[in-house]
Amino acid sequence: MVLEEEIPRFAAWIGPALLWYLFAGSLVAVLVAAVAWLVQSALYGPLAAGDRVYRGVLSGLVDLSGMSLRRIWALSRLAVQESLRRNVLVVLGIFALIVLFAGWFLDPTSVNPGKLYLGFILAATSLLVCLVTLVLSVFSLPADIRGKAIQTVTTKPVRTGEIVLGRIIGFSIVGTVLLALMGGVGWAFVVRSVRHGHEIAAEDLVEIRNDDGVSTGQEGRTSLDRGHRHRVDIATNGTGRTDTVQGHRHTVLTVKSGVQNGSSDQVTYEIGPAEGLLEARKPLRGTLRFVDREGRPSAKGISVGAEWSYRQYIEGGSLAAAIWTFGGLTEQSFPEGLPLEMIVRVFRTYKGEIERGIAGSVRVRNPSSGLQSDPFYFQAKEYTIDSLTIPRTLATTSADGGTRQIDLFADIVSNGRVEVVLQCLESAQYYGVAQADFYLRAGNGSFAFNYAKSCLGIWFSMLLVTAMGVMFSTFLSGPVALLATLSVVLLGQFREFILRLFESQVTGDTSIVPGGGPIESLYRIVTQTSITLDLDPSTTVTAMKTLDTFLLAPMRLGAALFPSLATLGTGDFVAGGFDIPVDLLAAHAMETFGYLMAFFLVGSLCLKAREVAS
Amino acid sequence: MPSQNAVNRSEREIVVETRNLSKTYRDFWGRSKKVALKPLDLEIRRGEIFGLLGPNGSGKTTTLKLLLGLIFPTSGEALVFGRDATDVSKNERIGYLPEESYLYKFLDAEETLDFYGRLFDMPPEQRKQRADALIEMVGLSRDKKRQLKEYSKGMTRRIGVAQALINDPELVLLDEPTSGLDPIGTREMKDLIIDLKKRGKTVIMSSHLLADVEDVCDRIAVLHLGELKELGRVEDLLRVTDVTQIRAKGLSTNAHEEIRALLKRHGGEEIEIGNPRTTLEDLFLEVVRDTQARPGRRARTSGISDT
Ligand SMILES: Nc1ncnc2c1ncn2[C@@H]1O[C@H](COP(=O)(O)OP(=O)(O)O)[C@@H](O)[C@H]1O
Ligand SMILES: [Mg+2]
């Protein structure tokens, strides 16, 4: 999976995050007050406007203190009843249909079916749940205002905050129930879809004998099930494993039964359930640096052009290397050695034998003394996670050619730190790696729990969408509020891009995002100018660039102000088989809560400032 | 309620007060669209039934909404129980029946009253008891389990009244309470309003039906095109001091001649002897005529002094 940024520890994250939240919150509050004052000034003159804004904010705060749980709950119930009246449960039917169709069109023979199914189900669940609560939340309040039912409510001692919060809670309850049902069904679907077994009969196996003619075990191939079969190795003690195909393997047991007619035993082979398909690996990640082809340290690897800059490339057959430093290692936590897992992208400058991987080596090195082990060799293939356990006892070859045994923890690990050095051995071929691609498998979490955590991430998104919808609907009509919320979601989807584009626009550094803003891009399309070409300075070009900056500024502001649902999604983790770090979840929870508070406050004040009966 | 309020619970306590209250509706861009209420000064005291009288579009609903804080004044202020009309806490003691009953159509009568009871933070037993009593009172016992969307106009009105009284309010605002009701429904509504007064409530009601206001109101304000035209006690406004009306039964034609002669002797001028007209109607037409003749004439705003 792609992990662009390191996941910070929650304890380290929360302090600066809170500070930033308070700062941004106050800034927004001041801005909103200023805008309100300006609008009121146009109507009533500056002094009266100041008085109105002041009194409005004051009474808004007084209102907050007068909120009652019973009223909030009454309004939440009403929202739930309204949702049921709008037949939200129909969406469960849609989900059932999607699941049914998914069974048909998702390819069970794909490289990693677990990932495919999980990614699909989680995306469908997230989309449906968020869409339903979005539509509910966005149209509810405007419908009440148009239908005037709001007038009978606001003439009761109801605080506007209760109306906003009641709706957020009510629709979130609906969303939660939907999510729970869909999550459960999706889970069952994924587990059932990937569950499979194979068969192997005695006649499919052949004895392997060594030079002396002594049997060292058996090997063979399993039956073809769900579009794949495995190679089986059975040791002399009767147990064995299959190889890894489609991201999983099975254990094999020899079962001897019924001794009939003296020596002819009934021998059957049992193949266990798939392992490694639905996992929650807990990785211990390190930091990555590079050494270039001459052996000098360099900040980056090589860019191979069209590829996205997330991965850096090292050249084969040279001194170029990617070096990870892992910390916090103890003998207790890794008594068997270091379980290294590696995802290596291969970039071939010539095809070679495509079935065969590209050879590479991994060494472990002491970060203080520089003592390093002899290399472990492996073949890197696209889309597969290679695993390699670095054993406790290692060999090292000194400069004079002498080889000696060293201990991993005594000689290599220094202060809990170790370096892992990756090199590509075939010249003119390249390895692409990112920091998250090498990790030590520190443990396994429960997959079910991981799936639940991912649903929690969807739940956060659902809460945010609902709250945002309700907030927008306090001052916009239903369709406009829907558009506004969708724009924010979209903005979040492209947040990184917008941030970089704006930076490039303001600094004039076209290398950050070549091609410029919307108008310039249009101009380039029309005039068929390449995006890498700088435009000749002229008044038109300057005007265009200035206009672009003005167009991008609100987007940039929006990207900074609103949450990005895309970053809340943890489907990648689950689908990729990685445990969702609790630190990440905690940060997401705080972020969600912070935004909920903000949306609630803004919504309450907007509704209060609004004449609901005009 | 604190003891200081007990002292105020005299007849003279002012429940609603407007000072220079006006409203101009604006469009989205803040341009004024409609002057719905011109500066209005009113004082309404505890225990009164106060009528807002005027034709459609004269600003009655606007006035009520301003008193409820549903819309905000363009200038001036509205005070209810001495607090600003936009202060939500005043709603604890207010009941409001909108022009049409704006309720949630997917709820039934019981659920509706339970919902509004919750909005007053009432505990469950109290909600149940109030809801039952009110459903009984407005005569919806048989239909209490039906969704409001199935209700007829009259039934909707009745559940609307029940909703307005759920908190046993001190001040009840009724916007056109008799509109759309048949004569029996109208009578029942009027009885209900008089009953509310008997129980010490203050009632503000609006109507374009002159007969309704005349029957039940202690004082009325006549609005026309957003302007206060008349204000005072119903009997004061309707007493026409320079006209004597004579109605008698069983008189012969001779007697008629005699009476005519008598009138002539006293210098009186005979107008008519026959059925009396609804004088409020007259008053109202007079106001309209007056407005056309002398635009901008206003009622004495110290109207309260004549009570
Ligand atoms: N929301 C509004 N926007 C613009 N004009 C309005 C609005 N509400 C009422 N008006 C206008 O204000 C005037 C007074 O309306 P209203 O108070 O409802 O009268 P009434 O209740 O006496 O029939 C009418 O001319 C009406 O058209
Ligand atoms: Mg009206």
Side-chain angles (χ1 to χ4, degrees):
Chain A
M1 63 170 288
V2 170
L3 201 64
E4 293 210 46
E5 280 163 29
E6 272 180 77
I7 297 158
R9 305 215 57 86
F10 182 71
W13 173 86
I14 184 74
L18 262 180
L19 272 182
W20 169 245
Y21 179 72
L22 290 178
F23 169 72
S26 335
L27 202 70
V28 170
V30 169
L31 262 169
V32 168
V35 170
W37 178 77
L38 277 177
V39 171
Q40 298 272 311
S41 292
L43 294 174
Y44 308 103
L47 272 182
D51 182 49
R52 271 166 190 254
V53 170
Y54 170 72
R55 277 194 304 173
V57 169
L58 202 67
S59 69
L61 292 179
V62 170
D63 274 9
L64 285 184
S65 64
M67 299 222 302
S68 121
L69 281 178
R70 188 174 276 140
R71 279 194 291 263
I72 295 173
W73 177 235
L75 290 157
S76 309
R77 270 171 42 120
L78 188 78
V80 173
Q81 281 168 312
E82 182 191 325
S83 314
L84 293 178
R85 191 184 54 96
R86 289 182 187 232
N87 296 327
V88 287
L89 297 182
V90 167
V91 76
L92 288 176
I94 297 176
F95 183 71
L97 276 182
I98 289 181
V99 168
L100 277 181
F101 278 106
W104 284 339
F105 67 72
L106 290 185
D107 176 17
T109 65
S110 73
V111 177
N112 192 340
K115 183 173 181 171
L116 183 71
Y117 281 72
L118 273 172
F120 177 80
I121 285 294
L122 286 173
T125 305
S126 169
L127 188 78
L128 278 181
V129 170
C130 290
L131 213 62
V132 167
T133 56
L134 170 63
V135 169
L136 285 175
S137 62
V138 139
F139 288 108
S140 166
L141 203 49
D144 262 22
I145 291 174
R146 221 174 333 100
K148 303 190 178 171
I150 193 87
Q151 297 184 17
T152 342
V153 172
T154 49
T155 47
K156 306 284 180 276
V158 174
R159 276 63 179 174
T160 52
E162 293 164 339
I163 296 179
V164 171
L165 193 58
R167 279 193 164 64
I168 296 178
I169 293 177
F171 296 131
S172 299
I173 290 174
V174 174
T176 308
V177 171
L178 288 180
L179 177 60
L181 291 175
M182 290 186 194
V185 170
W187 155 265
F189 170 74
V190 170
V191 169
R192 285 184 49 124
S193 300
V194 300
R195 183 195 297 153
H196 68 278
H198 299 271
E199 275 165 21
I200 188 162
E203 50 271 28
D204 299 331
L205 290 164
V206 292
E207 290 284 322
I208 318 165
R209 293 175 199 281
N210 64 8
D211 301 341
D212 307 330
V214 180
S215 170
T216 57
Q218 296 167 293
E219 69 171 21
R221 277 157 71 81
T222 67
S223 58
L224 181 76
D225 292 283
R226 281 186 192 261
H228 68 276
R229 55 173 96 234
H230 298 264
R231 228 171 40 80
V232 179
D233 282 305
I234 301 175
T236 40
N237 63 7
T239 63
R241 313 205 73 179
T242 68
D243 64 345
T244 302
V245 178
Q246 293 192 356
H248 71 278
R249 50 167 48 173
H250 304 261
T251 51
V252 185
L253 269 181
T254 312
V255 183
K256 291 197 171 76
S257 58
V259 185
Q260 296 158 338
N261 309 344
S263 64
S264 72
D265 295 355
Q266 239 356 55
V267 179
T268 52
Y269 299 90
E270 264 178 23
I271 297 189
E275 292 168 14
L277 211 41
L278 301 176
E279 294 198 291
R281 288 180 291 246
K282 285 189 172 154
L284 176 75
R285 291 204 159 87
T287 51
L288 172 62
R289 63 198 163 86
F290 291 93
V291 169
D292 72 9
R293 49 175 302 140
E294 272 88 38
R296 290 177 307 230
S298 77
K300 291 187 161 193
I302 298 167
S303 165
V304 291
E307 286 282 334
W308 176 32
S309 64
Y310 172 66
R311 287 207 163 76
Q312 302 288 323
Y313 285 77
I314 52 172
E315 190 181 339
S318 74
L319 288 176
I323 303 169
W324 281 264
T325 311
F326 296 99
L329 308 182
T330 58
E331 209 173 328
Q332 288 79 26
S333 50
F334 296 102
E336 318 268 287
L338 300 180
L340 184 64
E341 303 210 335
M342 318 174 281
I343 305 165
V344 178
R345 279 290 141 88
V346 177
F347 182 81
R348 295 170 190 255
T349 50
Y350 62 93
K351 232 181 192 158
E353 195 186 327
I354 204 81
E355 275 297 293
R356 196 179 55 81
I358 300 288
S361 75
V362 167
R363 279 170 299 166
V364 285
R365 191 160 78 183
N366 184 320
S368 314
S369 67
L371 176 71
Q372 61 182 14
S373 73
D374 286 345
F376 297 88
Y377 299 104
F378 72 103
Q379 304 266 318
K381 275 194 203 150
E382 278 289 274
Y383 307 114
T384 33
I385 299 178
D386 292 295
S387 52
L388 173 73
T389 302
I390 312 272
R392 286 293 304 265
T393 322
L394 300 159
T396 181
T397 309
S398 46
D400 54 28
T403 302
R404 64 186 173 101
Q405 300 279 310
I406 50 171
D407 180 74
L408 176 66
F409 282 98
D411 301 311
I412 299 289
V413 177
S414 143
N415 294 326
R417 279 151 37 91
V418 71
E419 286 180 346
V420 174
V421 183
L422 168 77
Q423 281 182 304
C424 177
L425 299 179
E426 300 184 27
S427 53
Q429 306 286 36
Y430 293 81
Y431 274 175
V433 286
Q435 184 160 292
D437 287 349
F438 269 47
Y439 57 89
L440 298 176
R441 187 168 187 165
N444 285 317
S446 139
F447 172 72
F449 186 48
N450 206 30
Y451 183 86
K453 282 195 279 188
S454 186
C455 286
L456 194 62
I458 298 178
W459 192 67
F460 293 152
S461 310
M462 184 271 293
L463 287 181
L464 283 180
V465 165
T466 309
M468 207 153 34
V470 172
M471 178 198 70
F472 279 127
S473 74
T474 57
F475 58 94
L476 297 173
S477 72
V480 182
L482 181 71
L483 272 182
T485 316
L486 285 179
S487 316
V488 170
V489 172
L490 228 62
L491 207 64
Q493 225 70 21
F494 299 108
R495 183 196 241 170
E496 288 307 310
F497 175 72
I498 290 168
L499 298 188
R500 279 184 298 133
L501 181 57
F502 189 74
E503 189 190 338
S504 143
Q505 198 69 23
V506 170
T507 56
D509 178 358
T510 49
S511 70
I512 306 175
V513 176
I519 305 222
E520 189 182 327
S521 308
L522 191 70
Y523 174 82
R524 282 175 189 271
I525 290 171
V526 172
T527 58
Q528 302 200 335
T529 317
S530 156
I531 59 164
T532 48
L533 226 62
D534 275 338
L535 295 174
D536 295 330
S538 73
T539 27
T540 337
V541 170
T542 316
M544 229 158 47
K545 283 186 187 280
T546 315
L547 202 58
D548 269 345
T549 309
F550 275 102
L551 283 177
L552 285 170
M555 286 201 201
R556 172 66 180 79
L557 187 69
L561 278 185
F562 288 104
S564 159
L565 297 191
T567 59
L568 283 185
T570 43
D572 272 5
F573 281 89
V574 185
F578 289 101
D579 191 61
I580 300 168
V582 177
D583 286 278
L584 186 70
L585 217 56
H588 284 174
M590 287 308 290
E591 209 175 306
T592 305
F593 182 70
Y595 274 115
L596 285 181
M597 287 286 293
F599 291 152
F600 159 69
L601 278 178
V602 172
S604 309
L605 286 178
C606 285
L607 190 59
K608 189 169 173 60
R610 182 171 177 185
E611 295 184 316
V612 287
S614 91
Chain B
M1 290 294 124
S3 60
Q4 165 243 335
N5 253 17
V7 186
N8 283 353
R9 271 171 199 259
S10 67
E11 276 190 340
R12 312 296 295 172
E13 188 199 342
I14 294 170
V15 174
V16 170
E17 185 177 3
T18 71
R19 296 192 201 125
N20 234 9
L21 183 69
S22 78
K23 179 67 188 177
T24 305
Y25 286 108
R26 296 171 193 276
D27 67 5
F28 178 80
W29 303 107
R31 293 176 301 200
S32 56
K33 200 161 71 174
K34 176 79 199 175
V35 181
L37 187 65
K38 295 179 186 161
L40 174 72
D41 292 275
L42 282 181
E43 281 181 1
I44 297 166
R45 291 170 188 262
R46 176 171 298 283
E48 285 198 275
I49 303 184
F50 189 89
L52 287 168
L53 182 61
N56 289 332
S58 56
K60 306 181 296 290
T61 301
T62 301
T63 310
L64 290 178
K65 283 181 179 169
L66 283 166
L67 294 181
L68 285 160
L70 281 172
I71 51 177
F72 312 139
T74 306
S75 74
E77 58 181 347
L79 299 175
V80 180
F81 299 120
R83 288 184 223 167
D84 196 272
T86 52
D87 183 348
V88 266
S89 57
K90 71 171 193 318
N91 293 353
E92 300 274 4
R93 300 152 72 187
I94 288 185
Y96 170 52
L97 173 69
E99 248 173 321
E100 283 163 41
S101 299
Y102 304 127
L103 303 168
Y104 292 98
K105 299 264 187 284
F106 51 89
L107 300 178
D108 65 28
E110 268 185 333
E111 288 170 338
T112 301
L113 294 187
D114 185 66
F115 170 66
Y116 290 110
R118 282 170 196 262
L119 296 190
F120 281 101
D121 217 342
M122 290 183 182
E125 324 79 58
Q126 195 189 345
R127 289 203 300 269
K128 180 94 184 74
Q129 180 220 325
R130 286 289 302 164
D132 287 347
L134 283 167
I135 286 176
E136 182 68 39
M137 187 189 98
V138 297
L140 286 173
S141 303
R142 281 197 306 133
D143 302 296
K144 64 182 178 188
K145 295 280 186 207
R146 288 171 66 192
Q147 290 196 336
L148 299 195
K149 63 178 172 221
E150 299 173 11
Y151 275 23
S152 71
K153 169 96 191 185
M155 290 158 83
T156 313
R157 210 68 195 138
R158 281 188 255 167
I159 185 68
V161 171
Q163 163 276 131
L165 299 179
I166 186 80
N167 57 328
D168 195 16
E170 291 167 47
L171 169 65
V172 187
L173 296 105
L174 307 168
D175 200 351
E176 311 254 359
T178 55
S179 85
L181 293 184
D182 59 17
I184 296 173
T186 307
R187 187 66 256 164
E188 282 174 358
M189 183 65 83
K190 287 191 201 172
D191 289 345
L192 180 102
I193 295 169
I194 292 167
D195 187 54
L196 286 174
K197 178 192 163 78
K198 282 198 196 119
R199 292 198 277 137
K201 318 284 183 202
T202 312
V203 179
I204 304 177
M205 61 178 284
S206 79
S207 184
H208 64 273
L209 292 173
L210 311 144
D212 298 355
V213 183
E214 186 181 27
D215 271 17
V216 294
C217 291
D218 298 318
R219 287 197 304 138
I220 54 171
V222 179
L223 288 175
H224 183 53
L225 297 176
E227 221 166 6
L228 181 66
K229 293 300 184 181
E230 297 287 348
L231 176 66
R233 303 201 139 266
V234 175
E235 57 263 38
D236 294 343
L237 287 176
L238 299 187
R239 192 188 304 138
V240 185
T241 39
D242 57 350
V243 175
T244 310
Q245 200 173 14
I246 298 173
R247 282 179 82 198
K249 211 173 128 181
L251 286 183
S252 65
T253 339
N254 272 353
H256 281 197
E257 286 308 321
E258 247 171 78
I259 291 167
R260 289 212 174 90
L262 187 69
L263 286 174
K264 199 169 272 175
R265 204 154 9 102
H266 282 272
E269 182 195 343
E270 184 222 318
I271 305 169
E272 182 193 276
I273 299 176
N275 293 333
R277 284 166 300 166
T278 316
T279 46
L280 197 51
E281 195 110 36
D282 260 355
L283 170 79
F284 193 71
L285 294 174
E286 178 65 28
V287 164
V288 175
R289 231 173 284 134
D290 192 50
T291 307
Q292 281 153 359
R294 289 182 292 163
R297 185 192 76 95
R298 300 273 305 279
R300 302 143 302 168
T301 47
S302 55
I304 198 74
S305 58
D306 64 353
T307 51

